[in-house]
Amino acid sequence: MFLLVSLKRTLTKLSLASNPDIDNEAVPAMLLLLKLSFLSILDTGIDMAGLRRLAEFAHKTDQLIDIEIPYACQDYVDSQ
């Protein structure tokens, strides 16, 4: 994930879907991708803690990102 940080000025769409080894430890690198408008983290190891961190950062920076979230996170969000 950290190899993609060099693209932080140009990368707008990123799919990390179906990569179970991508987990919450990758979130800090994702936060550096300031141009992202689409992010798919479906079927990754990112849980609600990582998703909350992404959402908090997007909210603080007024960054609009369309995020496809893992099904477990979707179930949690839907139950609240």
Side-chain angles (χ1 to χ4, degrees), residues 10-31:
T10 57
L11 190 64
T12 59
K13 297 178 183 177
L14 178 61
S15 177
L16 300 170
S18 301
N19 286 291
D21 291 335
I22 299 288
D23 59 17
N24 292 344
E25 291 183 21
V27 171
M30 290 179 212
L31 299 179

Side-chain angles (χ1 to χ4, degrees), residues 28-41:
M30 290 179 212
L31 299 179
L32 298 173
L33 303 173
L34 299 175
K35 299 281 185 175
L36 275 187
S37 60
F38 173 81
L39 175 64
S40 178
I41 54 173

